[in-house]
Amino acid sequence: TQIVLSEAGTLTSLYQTQTSMGTKYGGTYGKYMTAFNSITNLLSHCLSAHSYGTDDPNNQLVSVRQTLKSQLAANPFWRYWQSEYCILGTAGPGRDLTMTTALNVSRVIWADLAVANASAWHWWLSLSQADYKDGLLYTDYWQPGDTETLYCSKNFWAFGQWSRFIRPGWKRVDMTSYANVFGLMSAAFAAPASNALAIVFINASATNQVIAPDATGLGAGRGIAY
């Protein structure tokens, strides 16, 4: 049995003291990456946190995760799990089955995996009854007698582009060419015991993109088969 002690509501809590929480509850909150140093022998290596509040591509999306990555490099005992996310705030209310939410969510997944080096990523609900951007699938069924409806969102398929092809145990490999949060983003993962390589691309722009990955460091005679 492994104990995962941290379940932080924000990514910044992993490396910053949360003074507002301390003032409200009269204790010390945050900076969990170093707060547990004296008991690391008792804990899982996972620090879990949520991506809420740091998902704006105009400012915090990349910068917060770059800081988190550097903090993890300085504290190599830990690995980061993104353990809960859906669309919150003013954008949360109202179902959106379109590509708008799908691309916004996929961009957050990309930032957590490709920038912050998250080793796990969790979405909030697989099936939702709410008029909210919190599900992959939706239903209007609440009680016996209601019509048994099921609606599939584009977010379901966008999430599947990560979860279906990138499997547990795969290792991320660097892709430095595609990191435009308003254009083309990419992340690549290699299987641990085979020649399989999965690359996920996200095009957040309104124009078509031509993609031709150039793989280096694979060894003599090896390359990507399209």
Side-chain angles (χ1 to χ4, degrees), residues 173-178 188-190 195-199 201 211-226:
V173 294
D174 279 338
M175 285 196 69
T176 57
S177 300
Y178 307 104
F189 295 79
N195 292 323
L197 179 71
I199 306 176
F201 291 96
I211 300 168
D214 179 21
T216 59
L218 297 181
R222 304 183 69 184
I224 296 177
Y226 295 99

Side-chain angles (χ1 to χ4, degrees), residues 3-6 32-45 47 77-78:
I3 301 172
V4 180
L5 191 57
S6 168
Y32 300 122
M33 204 171 293
T34 55
F36 305 137
N37 280 347
S38 63
I39 54 170
T40 52
N41 62 310
L42 303 176
L43 303 176
S44 164
H45 290 211
L47 284 177
F77 174 84
W78 300 110

